[in-house]
Amino acid sequence: MTPFSAPRRPFSRPVVGGPPVAVGDVALAALVLVAQVVLAALLPVGFASHRPDALGWALLVLGAVALVWRRRAPMACLLGMVAAVAPYHYLENIQEAPILCSGVALYALAVAGPRARTLVVVPVVVATMAFELGSLGKPDGFTDTLRSAGWIVAVAVIGEVVRIQRKYVAAITERAERAERTREEEAARRVAEERLRIARDLHDLLAHSITLIGVQTSVAAHVLVADPERLDRTAVAGALDAIADTCREARAELRTTLRVLRADGDGPLPGLAGLPTLARAAQAAGARVELTVDAPGPVPPAVGAAAYRIVQESLTNAVRHAGPPAPRITVRVTGDAAALRLLVRDDGPGGADSGAGGF
């Protein structure tokens, strides 16, 4: 037996037509059989009936045994029950004994559905009973048929009500499971979007800082190698100080970003107030930055953070790809109550804007 295989139960072989026969089905059939035997043995003998003989007992047993397949094949169960009970009645055995197996078979058929089959089978069963009673030559056979038809219809109605109730519960359960799956898919989508946003923010932050550090390191290396005899210690110290400042600013911004991601609430998003720091970092890398901020007062945090990231990425690209040794970069932030506009322009090859837009 593999680790994932379940132990087999007796009477539990799966079939295509319905659920497998379970131990409970056999137990119910045995209980009905015992009750029918007790009724056939203890009920008084009527005017036109007698105690079952050997054939009568066998038919009574077969009618109860057919109930084993009541869930797996309800129509076959009903036909098997009728095949056993009809000759039992025809032989004028005690008529009340097989009532239990008849009721259980009809109930199982109604519960299994569909409704159209039940509506067809019930009149057929009533007509069969009328034919049997008529063949026995009873003068009140029609009255007995109507009296028996009452419990037949009642059993069928109860089975139909149970079927509808089960179908309703199954529909509610399915809707709940579908809603749960939808919530899980929505949560997974939001997690994926949040991961993408985190990756984008960290890329913007680290790419900017690493680019500036690389440029500043190149400047320091050029100063050291270009003319060792006339070493400009002030320039080297300035480049190293700029590298240290960039590292500190990157570390502080990374700490702020992580606090926001952890939802601590004490780490504000970067905004327009951080643009001068970005300009100083670009100037430390050798660029000439002209920054103009003319915003209409406080802007929403999300808008300010978006503007900060756009300017940060634009400065990074200008410092990395600009042609002149000291590129000139113009950054303008303007707006009104309805929109915020950004313009980032450098004097690199082509003279095109590094970034421009509004939101």
Side-chain angles (χ1 to χ4, degrees):
M1 182 181 299
T2 62
F4 301 98
S5 62
R8 290 189 176 182
R9 295 182 183 178
F11 310 103
S12 298
R13 292 183 301 169
V15 294
V16 178
V21 175
V23 177
D25 299 326
V26 178
L28 178 63
L31 183 62
V32 170
L33 175 60
V34 171
Q36 292 185 155
V37 169
V38 171
L39 291 175
L42 299 182
L43 286 178
V45 177
F47 173 76
S49 63
H50 56 77
R51 196 80 56 193
D53 53 10
L55 180 58
W57 288 114
L59 293 173
L60 200 63
V61 171
L62 291 177
V65 170
L67 299 180
V68 172
W69 291 272
R70 64 185 180 86
R71 293 189 310 118
R72 174 178 165 181
M75 191 64 194
C77 169
L78 181 66
L79 293 177
M81 182 274 301
V82 172
V85 172
Y88 176 89
H89 285 298
Y90 185 79
L91 295 176
E92 298 186 358
N93 296 297
I94 294 180
Q95 303 296 307
E96 293 82 359
I99 289 179
L100 285 178
C101 67
S102 303
V104 172
L106 282 171
Y107 173 81
L109 185 73
V111 168
R115 182 183 304 171
R117 183 174 65 179
T118 304
L119 294 177
V120 172
V121 169
V122 170
V124 171
V125 172
V126 174
T128 302
M129 292 181 57
F131 174 78
E132 290 180 355
L133 293 178
S135 63
L136 295 177
K138 290 187 175 182
D140 54 350
F142 182 74
T143 305
D144 292 341
T145 301
L146 293 179
R147 189 182 304 114
S148 301
W151 69 263
I152 293 175
V153 174
V155 169
V157 169
I158 293 174
E160 180 65 19
V161 170
V162 172
R163 186 185 68 83
I164 294 175
Q165 192 269 342
R166 289 180 180 177
K167 186 176 180 180
Y168 176 73
V169 172
I172 292 178
T173 304
E174 182 182 0
R175 284 198 297 269
E177 293 176 353
R178 186 165 58 249
E180 182 65 22
R181 287 194 300 269
T182 302
R183 285 193 295 268
E184 292 176 356
E185 293 172 357
E186 178 67 17
R189 185 185 64 80
R190 291 183 179 179
V191 168
E193 291 178 352
E194 186 66 14
R195 287 178 177 175
L196 182 61
R197 186 184 69 82
I198 292 172
R200 185 169 55 248
D201 289 345
L202 292 179
H203 169 269
D204 294 341
L205 168 64
L206 297 179
H208 174 76
S209 301
I210 292 174
T211 298
L212 294 182
I213 291 173
V215 173
Q216 293 160 355
T217 304
S218 299
V219 172
H222 175 75
V223 172
L224 291 174
V225 176
D227 193 358
E229 300 298 332
R230 300 174 59 186
L231 181 63
D232 189 348
R233 297 181 179 274
T234 303
V236 173
L240 296 178
D241 288 340
I243 293 174
D245 291 340
T246 302
C247 292
R248 282 192 295 270
E249 292 171 1
R251 185 170 60 250
E253 188 174 353
L254 182 60
R255 186 183 302 112
T256 300
T257 302
L258 294 178
R259 280 201 299 265
V260 172
L261 295 178
R262 289 196 297 265
D264 291 340
D266 56 352
L269 291 170
L272 300 183
L275 297 184
T277 302
L278 295 179
R280 288 194 297 270
Q283 290 171 350
R288 294 171 295 168
V289 181
E290 178 184 347
L291 175 64
T292 303
V293 179
D294 186 13
V299 297
V303 175
Y308 180 91
R309 294 303 184 196
I310 293 173
V311 173
Q312 184 183 51
E313 185 69 16
S314 300
L315 291 177
T316 301
N317 293 334
V319 171
R320 180 186 301 170
H321 303 294
R328 185 179 185 87
I329 306 172
T330 301
V331 179
R332 294 178 183 174
V333 182
T334 59
D336 49 31
L340 185 69
R341 297 176 180 83
L342 300 180
L343 172 65
V344 182
R345 176 180 296 168
D346 64 72
D347 58 355
D353 295 343
S354 296
F359 50 92

